[in-house]
mmCIF file of all heavy atoms in Angstrom:
data_model
loop_
_atom_site.group_PDB
_atom_site.id
_atom_site.type_symbol
_atom_site.label_atom_id
_atom_site.label_comp_id
_atom_site.label_asym_id
_atom_site.label_seq_id
_atom_site.Cartn_x
_atom_site.Cartn_y
_atom_site.Cartn_z
ATOM 1 N N ASP A 281 -47.452 19.323 31.660
ATOM 2 C CA ASP A 281 -48.574 19.129 30.738
ATOM 3 C C ASP A 281 -49.549 20.302 30.785
ATOM 4 O O ASP A 281 -50.035 20.770 29.744
ATOM 5 C CB ASP A 281 -49.303 17.826 31.063
ATOM 6 C CG ASP A 281 -48.470 16.599 30.723
ATOM 7 O OD1 ASP A 281 -47.486 16.755 29.965
ATOM 8 O OD2 ASP A 281 -48.783 15.505 31.222
ATOM 9 N N GLN A 282 -49.835 20.786 31.989
ATOM 10 C CA GLN A 282 -50.797 21.879 32.109
ATOM 11 C C GLN A 282 -50.220 23.191 31.593
ATOM 12 O O GLN A 282 -50.932 23.998 30.988
ATOM 13 C CB GLN A 282 -51.238 22.016 33.569
ATOM 14 C CG GLN A 282 -51.999 20.798 34.075
ATOM 15 C CD GLN A 282 -52.794 21.101 35.320
ATOM 16 O OE1 GLN A 282 -53.391 22.166 35.446
ATOM 17 N NE2 GLN A 282 -52.814 20.163 36.251
ATOM 18 N N VAL A 283 -48.940 23.409 31.834
ATOM 19 C CA VAL A 283 -48.307 24.631 31.326
ATOM 20 C C VAL A 283 -48.263 24.606 29.801
ATOM 21 O O VAL A 283 -48.570 25.603 29.135
ATOM 22 C CB VAL A 283 -46.887 24.787 31.907
ATOM 23 C CG1 VAL A 283 -46.152 25.940 31.220
ATOM 24 C CG2 VAL A 283 -46.947 25.028 33.408
ATOM 25 N N LYS A 284 -47.897 23.463 29.233
ATOM 26 C CA LYS A 284 -47.844 23.344 27.771
ATOM 27 C C LYS A 284 -49.221 23.569 27.155
ATOM 28 O O LYS A 284 -49.349 24.230 26.116
ATOM 29 C CB LYS A 284 -47.320 21.960 27.383
ATOM 30 C CG LYS A 284 -45.836 21.754 27.649
ATOM 31 C CD LYS A 284 -45.426 20.330 27.286
ATOM 32 C CE LYS A 284 -43.963 20.081 27.585
ATOM 33 N NZ LYS A 284 -43.564 18.676 27.297
ATOM 34 N N ALA A 285 -50.259 23.015 27.793
ATOM 35 C CA ALA A 285 -51.620 23.180 27.272
ATOM 36 C C ALA A 285 -52.031 24.650 27.290
ATOM 37 O O ALA A 285 -52.660 25.149 26.348
ATOM 38 C CB ALA A 285 -52.590 22.340 28.096
ATOM 39 N N TRP A 286 -51.686 25.351 28.357
ATOM 40 C CA TRP A 286 -52.009 26.779 28.471
ATOM 41 C C TRP A 286 -51.295 27.585 27.393
ATOM 42 O O TRP A 286 -51.891 28.450 26.748
ATOM 43 C CB TRP A 286 -51.627 27.257 29.868
ATOM 44 C CG TRP A 286 -51.740 28.738 30.078
ATOM 45 C CD1 TRP A 286 -52.872 29.500 29.986
ATOM 46 C CD2 TRP A 286 -50.678 29.634 30.426
ATOM 47 N NE1 TRP A 286 -52.585 30.821 30.256
ATOM 48 C CE2 TRP A 286 -51.245 30.933 30.533
ATOM 49 C CE3 TRP A 286 -49.319 29.466 30.676
ATOM 50 C CZ2 TRP A 286 -50.483 32.048 30.870
ATOM 51 C CZ3 TRP A 286 -48.562 30.572 31.015
ATOM 52 C CH2 TRP A 286 -49.139 31.854 31.104
ATOM 53 N N MET A 287 -50.020 27.283 27.171
ATOM 54 C CA MET A 287 -49.241 28.034 26.189
ATOM 55 C C MET A 287 -49.660 27.705 24.759
ATOM 56 O O MET A 287 -49.897 28.600 23.939
ATOM 57 C CB MET A 287 -47.747 27.741 26.379
ATOM 58 C CG MET A 287 -47.162 28.286 27.666
ATOM 59 S SD MET A 287 -45.397 27.880 27.836
ATOM 60 C CE MET A 287 -44.988 28.762 29.356
ATOM 61 N N SER A 288 -49.759 26.414 24.449
ATOM 62 C CA SER A 288 -50.098 26.022 23.080
ATOM 63 C C SER A 288 -51.531 26.389 22.732
ATOM 64 O O SER A 288 -51.846 26.688 21.576
ATOM 65 C CB SER A 288 -49.878 24.518 22.890
ATOM 66 O OG SER A 288 -50.712 23.775 23.765
ATOM 67 N N GLY A 289 -52.418 26.394 23.734
ATOM 68 C CA GLY A 289 -53.803 26.775 23.490
ATOM 69 C C GLY A 289 -53.942 28.212 23.038
ATOM 70 O O GLY A 289 -54.909 28.571 22.360
ATOM 71 N N ALA A 290 -52.964 29.044 23.397
ATOM 72 C CA ALA A 290 -52.978 30.444 22.981
ATOM 73 C C ALA A 290 -52.217 30.658 21.677
ATOM 74 O O ALA A 290 -52.102 31.789 21.199
ATOM 75 C CB ALA A 290 -52.370 31.311 24.083
ATOM 76 N N GLY A 291 -51.692 29.575 21.121
ATOM 77 C CA GLY A 291 -50.944 29.690 19.876
ATOM 78 C C GLY A 291 -49.556 30.269 20.056
ATOM 79 O O GLY A 291 -48.948 30.758 19.099
ATOM 80 N N ALA A 292 -49.033 30.203 21.279
ATOM 81 C CA ALA A 292 -47.698 30.746 21.551
ATOM 82 C C ALA A 292 -46.632 29.710 21.231
ATOM 83 O O ALA A 292 -46.773 28.534 21.569
ATOM 84 C CB ALA A 292 -47.591 31.168 23.011
ATOM 85 N N LYS A 293 -45.578 30.147 20.575
ATOM 86 C CA LYS A 293 -44.452 29.266 20.292
ATOM 87 C C LYS A 293 -43.545 29.221 21.520
ATOM 88 O O LYS A 293 -43.127 30.255 22.026
ATOM 89 C CB LYS A 293 -43.665 29.770 19.084
ATOM 90 C CG LYS A 293 -44.453 29.737 17.784
ATOM 91 C CD LYS A 293 -43.623 30.265 16.633
ATOM 92 C CE LYS A 293 -44.415 30.238 15.336
ATOM 93 N NZ LYS A 293 -43.623 30.782 14.202
ATOM 94 N N THR A 294 -43.288 28.019 21.982
ATOM 95 C CA THR A 294 -42.466 27.882 23.178
ATOM 96 C C THR A 294 -41.019 27.601 22.812
ATOM 97 O O THR A 294 -40.719 27.018 21.772
ATOM 98 C CB THR A 294 -42.986 26.747 24.079
ATOM 99 O OG1 THR A 294 -42.962 25.521 23.347
ATOM 100 C CG2 THR A 294 -44.394 27.040 24.547
ATOM 101 N N VAL A 295 -40.150 28.046 23.683
ATOM 102 C CA VAL A 295 -38.724 27.781 23.531
ATOM 103 C C VAL A 295 -38.234 27.199 24.849
ATOM 104 O O VAL A 295 -38.887 27.308 25.875
ATOM 105 C CB VAL A 295 -37.930 29.067 23.202
ATOM 106 C CG1 VAL A 295 -38.404 29.671 21.909
ATOM 107 C CG2 VAL A 295 -38.044 30.078 24.336
ATOM 108 N N GLU A 296 -37.083 26.568 24.795
ATOM 109 C CA GLU A 296 -36.472 26.056 26.008
ATOM 110 C C GLU A 296 -35.038 26.552 26.071
ATOM 111 O O GLU A 296 -34.311 26.483 25.085
ATOM 112 C CB GLU A 296 -36.499 24.529 26.040
ATOM 113 C CG GLU A 296 -37.901 23.952 26.152
ATOM 114 C CD GLU A 296 -37.904 22.439 26.214
ATOM 115 O OE1 GLU A 296 -36.911 21.870 26.699
ATOM 116 O OE2 GLU A 296 -38.883 21.840 25.776
ATOM 117 N N THR A 297 -34.666 27.072 27.215
ATOM 118 C CA THR A 297 -33.300 27.524 27.408
ATOM 119 C C THR A 297 -32.615 26.569 28.376
ATOM 120 O O THR A 297 -32.970 26.504 29.547
ATOM 121 C CB THR A 297 -33.259 28.960 27.962
ATOM 122 O OG1 THR A 297 -33.911 29.827 27.039
ATOM 123 C CG2 THR A 297 -31.824 29.423 28.149
ATOM 124 N N VAL A 298 -31.672 25.819 27.861
ATOM 125 C CA VAL A 298 -30.951 24.855 28.683
ATOM 126 C C VAL A 298 -29.953 25.605 29.558
ATOM 127 O O VAL A 298 -29.189 26.439 29.078
ATOM 128 C CB VAL A 298 -30.209 23.837 27.795
ATOM 129 C CG1 VAL A 298 -29.456 22.829 28.639
ATOM 130 C CG2 VAL A 298 -31.202 23.133 26.882
ATOM 131 N N GLN A 299 -29.964 25.316 30.842
ATOM 132 C CA GLN A 299 -29.047 25.991 31.748
ATOM 133 C C GLN A 299 -27.601 25.552 31.513
ATOM 134 O O GLN A 299 -27.334 24.419 31.111
ATOM 135 C CB GLN A 299 -29.424 25.706 33.199
ATOM 136 C CG GLN A 299 -30.661 26.450 33.667
ATOM 137 C CD GLN A 299 -30.925 26.238 35.142
ATOM 138 O OE1 GLN A 299 -30.645 25.183 35.686
ATOM 139 N NE2 GLN A 299 -31.471 27.241 35.792
ATOM 140 N N ARG A 300 -26.686 26.473 31.763
ATOM 141 C CA ARG A 300 -25.262 26.176 31.635
ATOM 142 C C ARG A 300 -24.544 26.782 32.838
ATOM 143 O O ARG A 300 -24.208 27.970 32.841
ATOM 144 C CB ARG A 300 -24.716 26.763 30.338
ATOM 145 C CG ARG A 300 -23.415 26.096 29.908
ATOM 146 C CD ARG A 300 -22.981 26.614 28.561
ATOM 147 N NE ARG A 300 -22.006 25.711 27.972
ATOM 148 C CZ ARG A 300 -20.991 26.114 27.233
ATOM 149 N NH1 ARG A 300 -20.803 27.390 27.006
ATOM 150 N NH2 ARG A 300 -20.152 25.245 26.719
ATOM 151 N N PRO A 301 -24.308 25.996 33.880
ATOM 152 C CA PRO A 301 -23.717 26.535 35.104
ATOM 153 C C PRO A 301 -22.319 27.111 34.869
ATOM 154 O O PRO A 301 -21.581 26.668 33.987
ATOM 155 C CB PRO A 301 -23.654 25.314 36.031
ATOM 156 C CG PRO A 301 -24.649 24.355 35.476
ATOM 157 C CD PRO A 301 -24.633 24.572 33.990
ATOM 158 N N ALA A 302 -21.983 28.094 35.683
ATOM 159 C CA ALA A 302 -20.672 28.734 35.587
ATOM 160 C C ALA A 302 -20.032 28.831 36.966
ATOM 161 O O ALA A 302 -20.724 28.999 37.974
ATOM 162 C CB ALA A 302 -20.797 30.126 34.976
ATOM 163 N N LEU A 303 -18.726 28.730 36.986
ATOM 164 C CA LEU A 303 -17.944 28.962 38.198
ATOM 165 C C LEU A 303 -17.348 30.358 38.097
ATOM 166 O O LEU A 303 -16.756 30.710 37.075
ATOM 167 C CB LEU A 303 -16.826 27.927 38.328
ATOM 168 C CG LEU A 303 -15.844 28.158 39.485
ATOM 169 C CD1 LEU A 303 -16.518 27.888 40.822
ATOM 170 C CD2 LEU A 303 -14.604 27.277 39.323
ATOM 171 N N VAL A 304 -17.510 31.157 39.139
ATOM 172 C CA VAL A 304 -16.962 32.506 39.151
ATOM 173 C C VAL A 304 -15.749 32.555 40.074
ATOM 174 O O VAL A 304 -15.812 32.112 41.226
ATOM 175 C CB VAL A 304 -18.012 33.536 39.613
ATOM 176 C CG1 VAL A 304 -17.383 34.926 39.718
ATOM 177 C CG2 VAL A 304 -19.182 33.564 38.646
ATOM 178 N N VAL A 305 -14.659 33.077 39.544
ATOM 179 C CA VAL A 305 -13.442 33.304 40.328
ATOM 180 C C VAL A 305 -13.324 34.813 40.525
ATOM 181 O O VAL A 305 -12.850 35.528 39.637
ATOM 182 C CB VAL A 305 -12.195 32.757 39.607
ATOM 183 C CG1 VAL A 305 -10.948 32.980 40.463
ATOM 184 C CG2 VAL A 305 -12.365 31.279 39.280
ATOM 185 N N PRO A 306 -13.787 35.345 41.668
ATOM 186 C CA PRO A 306 -13.721 36.791 41.891
ATOM 187 C C PRO A 306 -12.329 37.209 42.374
ATOM 188 O O PRO A 306 -11.812 36.665 43.350
ATOM 189 C CB PRO A 306 -14.781 37.023 42.972
ATOM 190 C CG PRO A 306 -14.879 35.732 43.708
ATOM 191 C CD PRO A 306 -14.457 34.642 42.770
ATOM 192 N N LEU A 307 -11.733 38.160 41.687
ATOM 193 C CA LEU A 307 -10.387 38.624 42.035
ATOM 194 C C LEU A 307 -10.393 40.129 42.270
ATOM 195 O O LEU A 307 -11.122 40.865 41.605
ATOM 196 C CB LEU A 307 -9.399 38.308 40.907
ATOM 197 C CG LEU A 307 -9.153 36.840 40.552
ATOM 198 C CD1 LEU A 307 -8.206 36.756 39.363
ATOM 199 C CD2 LEU A 307 -8.591 36.070 41.740
#
Side-chain angles (χ1 to χ4, degrees):
D281 290 344
Q282 295 198 40
V283 171
K284 288 178 182 177
W286 173 61
M287 292 179 176
S288 61
K293 295 179 180 179
T294 59
V295 299
E296 293 181 28
T297 300
V298 180
Q299 286 185 327
R300 200 175 198 215
L303 174 71
V304 176
V305 181
L307 297 177

